[in-house]
Amino acid sequence: MGRLDGRVALVTGASRGIGAAIARAFGREGARVAVNYHRSEAKAAAVVAAIEAAGSKALAVQADVADGPAVRAMVERAVAGLGPIDVLVNNAGIADATPLDQMSEDVWDRLIATNLRSVFLCTRAVLPAMLARGRGKIISVTSQLGQKGMPNHTHYAAAKAGVIGFTRALAREVGPRGIHVNAIAPGPIETDLMGPITDEFRREKSAIFALRRLGLPEEVAPTAVFLASDDSSYYAGQTLCPNGGDIMA
Ligand code: NAP
């Protein structure tokens, strides 16, 4: 028996990296999974195939998570194909490194829209049905850069700190009505988002971490499984940190 048997989950940005690992882990735990992607259709199809091979049901749903009408249509397709959504994972995101004095409004706006506005749009799209049923799990993937900051990442850090604030406020708003809202703040995880990773980069980056290495997407996914499952029944407004021991909260 899986820890998510009978549940329906929507995972944004699930074609690659952390989102793909979460979607696969949810499938292994028995959830039916809507696999959102933006551009990587073939990769999303591979994640769907892996979940189905493991014996669960999955559906690829294309949408730009920063686009309100597209998000509503994505949620409608997911519900029509798999049933009412029990778990939303706001994971889709982009990264960029630009010094603030050289940052255009377009670069700022695009990052905030993809990494923060998306969390509002996707959550708003699933929330009414969760409230009507009196249960649901909202999990957002923020970043430890929203906790500690990083040069050239003001927009990214602002968006990710915003996700933590959003999580705390919404947890208080809808917790009394049976909805659990929590976040995950990973440290550096080996995905495309990090760009090309050399051994020197690995060494330099990991020197400050207690575990002296970068993490893997599969090391973030169990935290999402926990927050999606009944095991997290007394968690609300929390930010859990699979970060190899950098920030220690
Ligand atoms: P990744 O490997 O680059 O994957 C990003 C995913 O987001 C892809 O599935 C991509 O979809 C999707 N995406 C991007 N823009 C989108 C949009 N507008 N609409 C819908 N989907 C979109 O990144 P990752 O490292 O797994 O990151 C996942 C999340 O973890 C992000 O929120 C990131 O900020 C956070 N995070 C990452 C790290 C890290 O070190 N990697 C650390 C802390 C937090 P397509 O490929 O289909 O376009």
Side-chain angles (χ1 to χ4, degrees):
M1 209 177 117
R3 282 193 284 169
L4 302 178
D5 276 348
R7 306 282 164 82
V8 174
L10 167 60
V11 183
T12 69
S15 49
R16 296 185 280 124
I18 294 169
I22 291 173
R24 286 198 188 93
F26 279 10
R28 282 195 299 276
E29 292 291 345
R32 303 196 292 283
V33 188
V35 174
N36 161 252
Y37 68 98
H38 186 208
R39 297 202 171 95
S40 304
E41 186 176 2
K43 289 184 178 170
V47 174
V48 167
I51 294 169
E52 288 178 340
S56 199
K57 200 172 163 190
L59 180 71
V61 283
Q62 196 281 335
D64 175 352
V65 290
D67 175 336
V71 164
R72 284 196 190 283
M74 166 182 76
V75 169
E76 279 168 19
R77 280 199 305 280
V79 172
L82 300 176
I85 292 168
D86 300 292
V87 182
L88 167 68
V89 182
N90 289 308
N91 164 80
I94 54 172
D96 169 72
T98 306
L100 190 72
D101 57 358
Q102 293 161 34
M103 193 179 293
S104 68
E105 290 170 30
D106 281 353
V107 167
W108 174 273
D109 286 346
R110 181 165 162 263
L111 198 133
I112 298 291
T114 308
N115 290 9
L116 180 58
R117 183 173 199 263
S118 63
V119 174
F120 153 62
L121 290 174
C122 294
T123 305
R124 188 183 61 173
V126 303
L127 196 57
M130 285 184 177
L131 288 170
R133 299 164 80 213
R135 65 188 170 93
K137 304 270 194 179
I138 310 284
I139 303 161
S140 299
V141 180
T142 173
S143 166
Q144 70 164 6
L145 299 190
Q147 299 166 308
K148 70 176 207 175
M150 187 177 179
N152 305 330
H153 289 75
T154 50
H155 45 358
Y156 188 85
K160 294 302 190 180
V163 171
I164 294 172
F166 175 95
T167 298
R168 291 175 177 162
L170 188 66
R172 292 188 190 278
E173 186 174 320
V174 299
R177 299 175 66 184
I179 317 297
H180 295 239
V181 188
N182 291 288
I184 303 173
I189 305 298
E190 300 211 14
T191 69
D192 299 342
L193 187 107
M194 298 271 290
I197 302 174
T198 61
D199 283 346
E200 192 191 346
F201 176 87
R202 256 191 210 99
R203 251 194 322 276
E204 263 177 32
K205 263 277 191 210
S206 55
I208 53 168
F209 296 95
L211 300 183
R212 294 288 191 279
R213 64 178 179 83
L214 309 184
L216 299 173
E218 291 71 23
E219 295 179 297
V220 178
T223 307
V225 170
F226 167 70
L227 288 176
S229 75
D230 291 339
D231 293 342
S232 59
S233 56
Y234 203 50
Y235 281 74
Q238 302 301 318
T239 298
L240 305 189
C241 306
N243 65 18
D246 181 3
I247 285 184
M248 298 182 184

